[in-house]
């Protein structure tokens, strides 16, 4: 069993929204064509919220030809100051990885997955001494096994969980805003698949499923998307202090709060 993964979020990389954001993949939450200018505004608010919580944010430039390039979470995960370079499962996104890898390699060691499996960072949720990997339409069995071996080499536990077909990623439907707590979308996941991993399960109602993706900081601080009053109340009642960000323009391309960052320290 490993130590406790860092929850402080002292530093992060993000990437500017693509000027071709209208071509971003949108299969789940979108109700209109993704809009570049609106998404850029939401992205700026997101960066401001991270900085207000003490995260030093480095903004990488747009990656030309990659409409989904702002969703850097899918390209890499940092574990104990080593970057694990991932292999996104959608063909239009695999070319995003090398530039993120090269950037991270300037300040830390990097490790690659073995074999031809695929893993999106959106399918990785960490719960202190355990990482949960979602098997989804983006993360296949080979990729999950390869990542699992790497995570175990850092002395953390690994669990592999099937992501429901109703959703894109594991992080889309559950998150852990503080030690021992999981927030999940009850319309997508059963409590029974999660309760062994947490002391406290907070169930987000089906009509607010998007708000199951939260960004937690130490001392019970949490960032959530604005416009989800029931989730807000549940988290207030659970003792969190809450910051909201209008994520609607990012949601149009199925992106959530966690998707927009790689936390590097
Ligand atoms: C995609 O479908 O790949 C993007 N439109 C959204 C990616 C969201 N990323 C994430 O949840 N980590």
């Amino acid at each position: 069993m490993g130590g406790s993964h860092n929850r402080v979020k002292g530093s992060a990389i993000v990437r500017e929204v693509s000027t071709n954001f209208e071509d971003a993949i949108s299969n789940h939450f979108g109700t209109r064509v993704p809009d570049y200018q609106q998404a850029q505004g939401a992205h700026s608010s997101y960066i401001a919220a991270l900085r207000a919580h003490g995260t030093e944010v480095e903004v990488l430039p747009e990656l030309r030809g990659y409409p989904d390039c702002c969703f850097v979470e899918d390209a890499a995960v940092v574990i104990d100051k080593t970057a694990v370079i991932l292999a996104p499962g959608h063909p239009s996104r695999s070319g995003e990885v090398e530039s993120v890898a090269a950037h991270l390699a300037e300040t830390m060691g990097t490790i690659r997955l073995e074999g031809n499996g695929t893993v999106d960072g959106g399918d990785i949720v960490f719960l202190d001494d355990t990482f949960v990997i979602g098997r989804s339409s983006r993360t296949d069995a080979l990729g999950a096994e390869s990542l699992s071996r790497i995570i175990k080499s850092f002395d953390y536990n690994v669990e592999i969980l099937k992501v429901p077909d109703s959703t894109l990623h594991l992080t889309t439907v559950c998150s852990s805003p503080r030690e021992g707590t999981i927030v999940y979308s009850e319309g997508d996941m059963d409590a029974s698949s999660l309760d062994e991993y947490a002391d406290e399960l907070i169930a987000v109602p089906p009509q607010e499923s998007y708000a199951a993706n939260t960004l937690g900081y130490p001392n019970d601080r949490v960032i959530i998307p604005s416009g989800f009053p029931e989730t807000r109340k549940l988290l207030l009642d659970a003792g969190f202090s809450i910051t909201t960000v209008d994520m609607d323009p990012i949601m149009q391309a199925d992106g959530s709060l966690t998707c927009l960052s790689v936390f590097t320290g």
Side-chain angles (χ1 to χ4, degrees), residues 164 166-167 173 184-191 203-209 212:
S166 54
T167 191
V173 286
Y184 74 103
S185 160
E186 67 178 353
D188 297 284
M189 300 199 84
D190 283 335
V204 167
Q207 71 279 12
E208 296 201 0
S209 66

Side-chain angles (χ1 to χ4, degrees), residues 226-242:
S226 59
F228 298 93
E230 292 191 37
T231 305
R232 183 186 161 82
K233 181 168 185 329
L234 287 167
L235 291 171
L236 281 174
D237 290 349
F240 285 95
S241 61
I242 296 175

Side-chain angles (χ1 to χ4, degrees), residues 21 23-28 34 67-75 88-90 92-93 96 120-124 138 168-172 213 250-261:
F21 194 62
D23 295 326
I25 307 161
S26 174
N27 294 322
H28 293 272
D68 286 290
C69 66
C70 63
F71 301 119
V72 285
E73 179 185 51
D74 293 318
H90 194 285
S92 75
R93 300 203 54 202
E96 295 173 25
D120 276 18
D123 282 317
I124 306 168
R138 300 288 178 86
L168 174 59
H169 286 136
L170 186 61
T171 55
T172 320
N213 181 284
I250 301 289
M251 183 178 82
Q252 298 307 320
D254 297 338
S256 308
L257 288 161
T258 59
C259 318
L260 294 173
S261 301

Side-chain angles (χ1 to χ4, degrees), residues 2-71:
S4 203
H5 188 63
N6 173 29
R7 282 183 177 271
V8 172
K9 300 182 174 67
S11 58
I13 59 167
V14 304
R15 189 183 283 292
E16 281 174 358
V17 174
S18 165
T19 42
N20 299 118
F21 194 62
E22 75 275 10
D23 295 326
I25 307 161
S26 174
N27 294 322
H28 293 272
F29 290 113
T31 53
R32 58 182 191 276
V33 175
D35 180 279
Y36 164 63
Q37 277 181 348
Q38 290 174 4
Q40 211 185 16
H43 197 248
S44 299
S45 306
Y46 172 84
I47 292 169
L50 260 54
R51 287 183 172 145
H53 284 73
T55 302
E56 199 175 297
V57 182
E58 186 174 4
V59 185
L60 306 184
E62 170 192 2
L63 204 54
R64 289 263 165 196
Y66 292 95
D68 286 290
C69 66
C70 63
F71 301 119

Side-chain angles (χ1 to χ4, degrees), residues 106-188:
E106 289 172 13
T107 54
M108 64 182 84
T110 60
I111 300 184
R112 301 273 174 166
L113 299 177
E114 282 170 14
N116 297 322
T118 60
V119 178
D120 276 18
D123 282 317
I124 306 168
V125 171
F126 93 88
L127 306 168
D128 303 294
D129 55 14
T130 299
F131 282 76
V132 184
I133 305 174
R135 275 270 294 103
S136 70
S137 62
R138 300 288 178 86
T139 298
D140 64 15
L142 265 180
E145 282 306 325
S146 174
L147 177 61
S148 167
R149 281 192 294 276
I150 291 173
I151 293 172
K152 284 178 183 164
S153 76
F154 284 90
D155 212 16
Y156 290 97
N157 303 316
V158 179
E159 301 285 344
I160 298 180
L161 205 66
K162 172 84 179 78
V163 174
D165 295 335
S166 54
T167 191
L168 174 59
H169 286 136
L170 186 61
T171 55
T172 320
V173 286
C174 78
S175 58
S176 176
R178 71 178 163 209
E179 195 173 340
T181 299
I182 294 178
V183 178
Y184 74 103
S185 160
E186 67 178 353
D188 297 284

